[in-house]
Amino acid sequence: MAYYRKVVNIENESDRGVSILTCFNMSLTNYYLGDTTKAITWVKKARKLARQLDTDPFGFLYRAQNLLGFIYLGRHQPEKALPLFFQALKGYKELYGEHHPKIAIVNTNIASCYEIKNQPDSALYFIQQAIISNLSGFTDTVIYTNPRHLNALDRDQLLGDLWKKARLLAGRSDTQKDITASTQTWHLASTLIDTIRMSFRDEKSRLFYTSQVQQFYDDAITRMARFYALTSDPAYMEAAFEYSDKAKAANLLSALRTRKAMVFSHLPDSLQIQEQQWTEQIGTLHEMLYTEKNYPEPDPRKVDMLEEGIFRLSIKLDSLVGIMEKYYPTYYNLKYNTGVIPAAAVRKKLSPRQALLSYHLTENHLFSFCITNKQMLFTDQPVGSSFSVSIRNLAESFTRKNTLEYIPENMDTTLRYLGRILIRPFDSILGNKSLLIIPDGILLKVPFDLLLTDTGNVSLLPNRNTPPYLIFRQPVYYDYSATLHFEKGLDRKNLITRILAIAPGYPPNGLHLKNLSVIRQANDLILNPLPYAREEIKYVRKFTPGTTVTGNEATEEYFKRHASRYDILHLTMHTILNDKNPLYSKLVFSQVPDTLEDGLLNTWEIYGLSLKAKMAVLSACNTGSGRIRQGEGMMSLARGFKYAGVPTLVTTRWEVEDKASAELMELFYRNLRRGLPADVALQNAKITFLAHTDPLRLDPYYWAGYSLIGRPQRMFHPWKPAVMIILVVVSFILSGTYLRKKQKNLQDNRLKDGS
């Protein structure tokens, strides 16, 4: 009430603008609190004050009419809203001309009214008008036509309008013309999302934006699935797959492409610096503009100033990018490539022994894609809240291993239920192929090799009481997206594969870290010694040449200084997880006096490393778990190593048991040394562990925590030792031949001198 009286007191003052803005703010506050009656009262007061102005250069009256119409629209009263919108539209055109973001907003609101009234033709007409008013140079009113360029006055508004247009076309009729136009509009909107995302200057902003547009991809995939059901045209199934992949790890993919562009392009430093500066400046202005527009009542002068700055810098950057495209095409094609791998290309890249399973989970549907080198299958299954609850309970059961809440019988029921949904629809083409899993959302928490299937082969363990886990039938590995998986990386072909194996030492009474919070260790802030860590390192080094660093020598500083020299990184240590801010999750090295480092390697520090390793084995607790970020996946420590350029990762899903981990890793490296690909090596290690371990450790808690992410490449080739022997023999022969020739020449020279 005090605020209200303040507004009343200002009413007779000369600066009614302050009073009008206050009324707008109060109206919007009440609207979003759900009190539309009070919201209408406040906006009508603003309209009354606006009519008393001698001049209205900021269009307060038209803004009041638009806001009042918006409130009626929210009440599903389009008959009251439409006259107000048309008044606002007329006024804004008189004030700004034909092209202005505010005109686009009003046209969009009018389209929404006709959508509620179930008049799709009128709705499409006005959404086309909204697009026209946001783009200078585009005037085509035909609803089947889209703009060729996307340099909008307000990019977020244009994205919303393209999105709405695609939905309206999809819902208007089932004619091929509408389906085709809708598909083209979805594609254009997706392109705009890529453009906007790349303009943000830091990862935090890009991650936030990615989560905001996730609903777009949900809608696009849902529509493509419907078009496929209507037409049986596989092009729509393949389009759904591409949108599904675009909705995964886009920022990680962009970062890796940029890193590769910097390596291969030979772009002059001056151009790189200029591009970075202008990109950062544009990103800063966009963030300021986004913040300003999300205030209850943006400052129009500030908005105009920011838009003008963005426009001028964008022209400069476009010109620079044009130079890069012409003279440095490698850099341009790598960095500015926002495409994803088509399903047809996936089929070509898969071997006969491989299959890809990719999932996209919306609120009510699970879309699944199964691709082999010969065919592609697609399912759309309705799922309810019980689906996510089952997965969450399954994941949490492993964190409750030492409590009475851990009930294996319930786990088996869940694993059979998930196997029926996730695997069984594709049994006809999967066989015993190696499975590349591209999970989404809560599915990131599912250990797929534990899923129970009716066709599982348990004869491998005739004397063991083990359920038919999927791991007995086929190897399983994961990646963040199909595009990321098949993207050509930096070649790392060394004749000898060398490993850096690190196992820090911790005090006998535990390492106390009282100054740190948000960790997930059994004893809160005390990190206990890992008695089998050194044993694990010894096992690993039996099969691989390289360097072992243990105890107090295993420092963060040593790792940062030497890690880039090795082909395999094996880290056996404690972790500290920070789910609230995953960039501050840490690997805990030896805590020794060090003037350079604190012994805690943060995820954000890993991002800044330039690693040349083919594989990183993160044999520590929870290295593959963390916060799930919509549109980007699991924000884990493992993601940091992927960002730093490591193509293959072995990670853990929970707090793995120390002794079992050491035994599993010995088996894993033994299999790698035999020349097996990493996925098969890990599968065989788990099966061998189950075949020989104590019956009390058959429980998945002891062996199923390890997962492979990335390429299932061979780390060692059986022919390499033979090649080495041949090379040594050849070098001896050549050396001997050279020495004999040299000796003969000396003798000949002596004879000549003597004569």
Side-chain angles (χ1 to χ4, degrees):
M1 290 301 295
Y3 207 70
Y4 175 82
R5 284 193 295 270
K6 180 181 178 182
V7 174
V8 172
N9 291 335
I10 296 177
E11 183 174 345
N12 293 321
E13 296 177 10
S14 58
D15 189 6
R16 287 195 177 92
V18 174
S19 188
I20 294 171
L21 291 175
T22 303
C23 290
F24 284 148
N25 292 340
M26 292 299 294
S27 177
L28 285 167
T29 299
N30 280 282
Y31 176 80
Y32 288 115
L33 288 174
D35 193 339
T36 57
T37 301
K38 284 186 178 179
I40 289 172
T41 300
W42 281 105
V43 73
K44 284 184 175 179
K45 187 171 187 63
R47 183 174 63 175
K48 177 182 176 182
L49 292 171
R51 284 172 173 162
Q52 297 173 5
L53 294 172
D54 295 331
T55 59
D56 190 6
F58 300 117
F60 285 138
L61 176 59
Y62 316 132
R63 192 175 308 173
Q65 290 165 333
N66 183 57
L67 179 54
L68 184 55
F70 178 76
I71 296 169
Y72 284 128
L73 178 62
R75 282 179 150 188
H76 285 262
Q77 295 177 302
E79 66 284 349
K80 289 187 175 181
L82 276 172
L84 292 162
F85 287 142
F86 281 119
Q87 291 172 23
L89 183 64
K90 180 182 178 183
Y92 275 140
K93 285 186 175 182
E94 291 174 355
L95 186 63
Y96 297 118
E98 293 295 324
H99 298 279
H100 195 277
K102 286 185 171 60
I103 298 174
I105 291 170
V106 178
N107 276 312
T108 303
N109 289 338
I110 295 173
S112 297
C113 286
Y114 285 115
E115 187 178 10
I116 292 175
K117 290 165 69 70
N118 197 26
Q119 297 178 18
D121 290 347
S122 297
L124 280 164
Y125 171 81
F126 280 100
I127 207 65
Q128 187 76 0
Q129 290 296 317
I131 294 170
I132 290 170
S133 56
N134 203 356
L135 290 164
S136 57
F138 179 67
T139 59
D140 199 327
T141 59
V142 177
I143 61 171
Y144 295 110
T145 305
N146 281 318
R148 293 184 178 180
H149 71 86
L150 299 173
N151 296 325
L153 300 171
D154 186 327
R155 297 184 305 180
D156 294 320
Q157 179 65 34
L158 179 60
L159 174 60
D161 290 336
L162 290 171
W163 185 353
K164 182 183 281 289
K165 179 180 176 180
R167 285 193 296 104
L168 287 168
L169 285 165
R172 186 173 73 154
S173 73
D174 294 334
T175 63
Q176 188 59 52
K177 189 173 184 179
D178 278 359
I179 290 174
T180 301
S182 176
T183 303
Q184 292 171 348
T185 308
W186 284 112
H187 176 74
L188 188 63
S190 178
T191 302
L192 181 56
I193 287 175
D194 293 333
T195 303
I196 295 173
R197 179 162 38 211
M198 289 189 70
S199 70
F200 289 108
R201 63 191 176 98
D202 60 78
E203 186 180 21
K204 185 176 180 180
S205 299
R206 289 192 295 270
L207 288 172
F208 175 76
Y209 184 76
T210 296
S211 67
Q212 296 301 298
V213 298
Q214 195 65 17
Q215 184 61 49
F216 169 86
Y217 292 113
D218 290 351
D219 285 355
I221 294 165
T222 301
R223 301 295 178 175
M224 295 304 116
R226 180 173 175 272
F227 294 162
Y228 177 60
L230 286 171
T231 65
S232 298
D233 186 343
Y236 297 113
M237 172 176 62
E238 293 174 358
F241 171 76
E242 291 182 31
Y243 284 124
S244 173
D245 217 53
K246 268 190 172 290
K248 296 181 178 74
N251 296 302
L252 179 57
L253 176 63
S254 176
L256 292 176
R257 282 174 169 171
T258 299
R259 181 186 288 263
K260 191 163 65 170
M262 302 293 283
V263 172
F264 287 128
S265 65
H266 307 295
L267 186 72
D269 291 344
S270 59
L271 292 183
Q272 288 185 22
I273 293 170
Q274 188 64 78
E275 179 197 27
Q276 182 179 356
Q277 288 178 345
W278 284 341
T279 300
E280 289 183 354
Q281 289 171 13
I282 291 171
T284 300
L285 293 178
H286 271 299
E287 289 177 30
M288 293 171 64
L289 181 62
Y290 180 83
T291 301
E292 185 65 30
K293 287 183 175 180
N294 279 276
Y295 286 138
E297 190 55 45
D299 182 342
R301 287 165 292 193
K302 191 171 182 179
V303 168
D304 288 343
M305 181 186 69
L306 291 170
E307 288 177 343
E308 176 68 18
I310 291 169
F311 177 73
R312 292 184 181 279
L313 282 171
S314 296
I315 291 176
K316 293 181 179 180
L317 182 60
D318 288 345
S319 176
L320 182 63
V321 170
I323 293 171
M324 293 174 178
E325 183 178 11
K326 183 176 181 180
Y327 296 105
Y328 303 96
T330 301
Y331 179 84
Y332 176 85
N333 291 331
L334 284 171
K335 179 167 183 179
Y336 291 96
N337 175 19
T338 58
V340 295
I341 187 169
V346 172
R347 286 197 295 271
K348 291 181 180 179
K349 289 181 177 292
L350 290 170
S351 72
R353 61 170 287 271
Q354 293 176 312
L356 177 144
L357 279 173
S358 182
Y359 301 93
H360 187 89
L361 185 63
T362 68
E363 186 176 358
N364 299 310
H365 284 260
L366 173 66
F367 299 98
S368 307
F369 307 86
C370 181
I371 305 176
T372 69
N373 66 325
K374 292 184 177 179
Q375 59 185 310
M376 177 178 183
L377 296 180
F378 168 68
T379 63
D380 173 6
Q381 301 177 75
V383 292
S385 59
S386 60
F387 179 73
S388 296
V389 170
S390 297
I391 295 173
R392 194 171 291 109
N393 289 340
L394 174 67
E396 290 176 356
S397 67
F398 293 108
T399 67
R400 302 193 298 259
K401 172 62 183 170
N402 297 317
T403 74
L404 295 177
E405 298 179 66
Y406 181 75
I407 306 175
E409 293 79 8
N410 291 352
M411 181 190 298
D412 287 356
T413 301
T414 300
L415 292 172
R416 196 170 298 280
Y417 163 66
L418 293 175
R420 187 171 65 250
I421 293 175
L422 299 172
I423 302 297
R424 192 180 298 174
F426 309 109
D427 270 344
S428 62
I429 66 172
L430 287 180
N432 62 352
K433 296 178 186 294
S434 181
L435 292 185
L436 167 58
I437 306 294
I438 311 293
D440 181 49
I442 194 71
L443 290 174
L444 287 155
K445 292 182 176 291
V446 176
F448 275 73
D449 50 5
L450 280 182
L451 298 184
L452 295 175
T453 64
D454 294 338
T455 57
N457 181 7
V458 295
S459 63
L460 290 169
L461 305 174
N463 299 319
R464 295 285 170 158
N465 183 23
T466 54
Y469 297 123
L470 187 63
I471 192 68
F472 294 136
R473 192 175 86 180
Q474 50 213 142
V476 175
Y477 60 106
Y478 307 83
D479 218 328
Y480 295 89
S481 74
T483 303
L484 195 60
H485 184 81
F486 292 108
E487 189 95 349
K488 182 175 173 57
L490 301 175
D491 290 332
R492 296 176 171 89
K493 295 180 180 179
N494 297 324
L495 191 60
I496 300 177
T497 298
R498 299 177 68 247
I499 188 171
L500 173 62
I502 294 184
Y506 304 109
N509 295 326
L511 178 64
H512 293 255
L513 299 172
K514 294 181 179 179
N515 60 319
L516 296 174
S517 59
V518 197
I519 69 171
R520 254 200 246 160
Q521 312 304 127
N523 296 315
D524 295 329
L525 298 175
I526 301 176
L527 305 183
N528 292 318
L530 300 173
Y532 286 92
R534 292 200 179 197
E535 293 298 315
E536 180 176 324
I537 294 297
K538 289 179 183 178
Y539 294 154
V540 168
R541 287 283 284 111
K542 280 197 306 184
F543 305 104
T544 53
T547 304
T548 299
V549 185
T550 60
N552 288 339
E553 294 180 2
T555 63
E556 178 188 4
E557 190 273 336
Y558 183 96
F559 176 78
K560 285 182 174 179
R561 184 153 44 93
H562 297 283
S564 62
R565 303 176 186 176
Y566 292 87
D567 307 292
I568 298 176
L569 304 173
H570 188 102
L571 307 179
T572 303
M573 59 185 63
H574 276 299
T575 57
I576 299 174
L577 293 193
N578 188 326
D579 285 340
K580 186 176 181 181
N581 193 341
L583 290 177
Y584 287 89
S585 292
K586 312 167 195 302
L587 290 167
V588 184
F589 287 81
S590 294
Q591 301 293 297
V592 296
D594 191 323
T595 57
L596 297 177
E597 308 291 350
D598 61 3
L600 303 172
L601 182 62
N602 292 284
T603 305
W604 65 264
E605 294 178 278
I606 300 171
Y607 279 29
L609 300 177
S610 181
L611 301 176
K612 299 179 177 64
K614 295 185 289 186
M615 180 173 73
V617 179
L618 309 179
S619 187
C621 295
N622 294 298
T623 54
S625 63
R627 179 182 176 185
I628 296 176
R629 189 92 188 217
Q630 263 198 324
E632 201 62 27
M634 190 76 76
M635 305 301 289
S636 64
L637 279 160
R639 187 178 186 273
F641 282 88
K642 192 80 169 180
Y643 197 104
V646 182
T648 304
L649 306 167
V650 177
T651 68
T652 57
R653 291 180 174 275
W654 50 77
E655 292 182 11
V656 290
E657 200 266 337
D658 194 24
K659 183 179 179 182
S661 297
E663 294 173 10
L664 271 169
M665 288 297 97
E666 179 184 15
L667 295 167
F668 175 60
Y669 277 94
R670 177 179 289 154
N671 292 331
L672 285 176
R673 191 67 200 183
R674 288 169 50 203
L676 294 178
D679 59 331
V680 179
L682 187 58
Q683 178 202 26
N684 288 357
K686 291 178 178 180
I687 293 174
T688 304
F689 177 87
L690 288 170
H692 297 94
T693 193
D694 186 303
L696 294 177
R697 295 199 298 168
L698 293 175
D699 189 289
Y701 168 79
Y702 292 97
W703 57 270
Y706 281 92
S707 297
L708 180 72
I709 300 174
R711 299 176 193 163
Q713 56 187 324
R714 286 180 169 85
M715 298 296 146
F716 304 93
H717 294 273
W719 49 264
K720 279 190 176 180
V723 170
M724 291 294 294
I725 293 171
I726 292 170
L727 288 174
V728 170
V729 171
V730 169
S731 66
F732 272 120
I733 293 171
L734 292 175
S735 298
T737 302
Y738 172 76
L739 289 172
R740 283 195 297 273
K741 285 185 176 180
K742 186 174 182 181
Q743 189 174 11
K744 187 176 183 303
N745 289 335
L746 286 171
Q747 290 174 349
D748 291 344
N749 289 334
R750 288 195 190 104
L751 289 173
K752 290 179 181 179
D753 293 340
S755 62

